[in-house]
Amino acid sequence: MSEGTMQRRAQRDPRAKHLHRVLVCAAAVPVMLVAAGCSSDSGSGDGGEKTAGAAASASASPSPTVQAAAFDKLPEPCKVLSKKTLGDLVPKGKSGKEGTSNDLSTRASCSWSSLDNNGVKGSQFRWLNVSMLRFESDVTRGAGDKLAQEYYAKQVQDVQSAEGAKNAKSEPVTGTGDEATAVRYDLKKKEGTFKQQTVVARVENVVVTVDYNGAGLAGDKTPDADDLMKAAKKAAKEAVAAVAAANGSGEGAGSGGTASSAPSASGSPSKPSKSPSASPSGDASKSASPSASASESAAKKS
C-alpha cells in the first residue's frame, strides 16, 4: 500500500491515523538510543582521567621526615667517669656493676658502692649510679631531642617526688649539657640519715642521671650535703662529656640530617621507640630514679 493511499485512508479512518503516528515514533527510538550511548561514553572517559590524575598525585606526595637524632650511641657506662673522680666519690669502691639492658646503645647504667670502716667510730657509706637513656627520632613521635626533653622533665619531677624524701631542694645546673637540674633531699633510715643528691642532665637526645648518696653509719657523722652535691655535679658534667665524646663531637654538638622513619626508650624511642620503644616508658623512669633501698641494702651487706 502506498503512502498516499495510507494518508487518504487516515483522513477517512481515525484508526489509520493513529497507526501512522505509532510507526513514526518507533522509527525515532533507535536514533535516541545511539545519542544516549555516545553521551555515556564521553562521561566515563572524563571519570577515568580524573581517577588516574588523583593516583598520580598521591604517588608523587613526599614521605614524612623528621630531624635525625644528634647522637647514635652511648659510651660504656662503667667508663664514663675517670679513676680520679671515682676515687673521690667512692674511695673504697671496687669495679662498677653494669646494669642490665636489652640494648646498650639506647639504655645503659653503672653503679659503685663504698664503705669506709672506721672501727668503733663507725663508717662512711657512699653509693653512686650513672644512667643514660638515648632517644632516636621517629616520624610518628617526633625528633630525638624533643623526646629527650620530655623525659628529662618527667625524670626531674620523679626525683623531686621521691617517696620518703625530706627537705627536698632543687636548683638549675649550668655548664652541663643543654639543660640540667640538681635535686637534694634526706632519707631517714634505721642505719642513719642518707643524704641523697641527684643531677639530671640532657645533652641533645640523651638524658643522663647521676645519683649519689652518703651516710654516716654506726655512729659516724652524717656527710655534708653540699660536699656531696658538688661531687655529684662534677660526675654529671663528666658523664655528659663522655656521651658527646663517644659520638665524636664536643659537648652538645649535633650531626644534623633527617630521618624518614623510626620504630619507642623501652622507654622511647626506632630503638627508643622500641623503648624507649626506647618512648621511654615507666620502666625507664624507674631504672633511672635514685634508689635509697639499694643504699640500705648495700650498707647491710657491708
Side-chain angles (χ1 to χ4, degrees):
M1 182 182 295
S2 66
E3 185 177 353
T5 303
M6 288 179 63
Q7 288 178 347
R8 287 193 296 273
R9 180 172 293 181
Q11 291 175 355
R12 296 192 299 269
D13 188 350
R15 289 177 298 176
K17 184 176 182 180
H18 175 72
L19 178 60
H20 176 71
R21 290 179 179 175
V22 171
L23 292 174
V24 172
C25 290
V29 170
V31 178
M32 294 174 64
L33 291 176
V34 171
C38 294
S39 176
S40 176
D41 291 343
S42 176
S44 62
D46 292 342
E49 291 178 359
K50 291 179 179 179
T51 302
S57 176
S59 63
S61 298
S63 300
T65 60
V66 65
Q67 186 72 20
F71 297 145
D72 58 10
K73 59 184 176 180
L74 295 175
E76 293 184 54
C78 293
K79 294 182 179 181
V80 296
L81 302 179
S82 66
K83 290 183 178 180
K84 181 180 185 309
T85 297
L86 290 174
D88 293 339
L89 274 65
V90 282
K92 298 296 181 177
K94 298 180 180 180
S95 58
K97 181 180 179 180
E98 187 171 316
T100 58
S101 173
N102 293 328
D103 187 349
L104 289 174
S105 71
T106 59
R107 179 197 303 278
S109 65
C110 189
S111 62
W112 300 261
S113 62
S114 169
L115 185 66
D116 186 5
N117 194 331
N118 296 314
V120 296
K121 293 183 179 180
S123 58
Q124 286 291 319
F125 174 77
R126 298 289 185 274
W127 180 78
L128 171 67
N129 184 78
V130 177
S131 64
M132 298 170 289
L133 190 61
R134 183 180 66 84
F135 294 82
E136 292 187 357
S137 296
D138 189 315
V139 291
T140 61
R141 300 174 63 237
D145 61 338
K146 298 299 181 183
L147 296 174
Q149 283 180 336
E150 294 172 2
Y151 179 74
Y152 163 82
K154 182 181 182 300
Q155 184 77 330
V156 171
Q157 291 181 342
D158 288 347
V159 175
Q160 292 171 332
S161 59
E163 184 178 356
K166 303 292 183 181
N167 305 317
K169 297 179 181 179
S170 302
E171 61 178 316
V173 179
T174 59
T176 303
D178 297 306
E179 54 187 335
T181 300
V183 183
R184 67 172 69 183
Y185 55 83
D186 298 338
L187 283 173
K188 299 268 186 193
K189 300 292 181 180
K190 62 182 180 180
E191 293 85 1
T193 299
F194 287 78
K195 295 289 186 178
Q196 174 70 41
Q197 322 296 317
T198 298
V199 179
V200 183
R202 180 188 68 83
V203 54
E204 295 288 0
N205 56 308
V206 176
V207 176
V208 176
T209 302
V210 172
D211 296 310
Y212 185 49
N213 67 41
L217 307 178
D220 204 347
K221 65 179 182 179
T222 300
D224 183 75
D226 289 338
D227 291 341
L228 295 178
M229 178 56 79
K230 182 178 180 180
K233 289 179 178 178
K234 177 182 178 182
K237 186 172 184 177
E238 203 168 300
V240 165
V243 172
N247 289 273
S249 62
E251 182 179 309
S255 60
T258 59
S260 60
S261 63
S264 138
S266 4
S268 122
S270 88
K271 293 177 184 176
S273 352
K274 296 175 185 177
S275 42
S277 256
S279 137
S281 67
D283 292 340
S285 176
K286 290 179 182 178
S287 67
S289 299
S291 173
S293 60
S295 303
E296 182 179 356
S297 175
K300 287 181 178 178
K301 290 180 181 179
S302 301

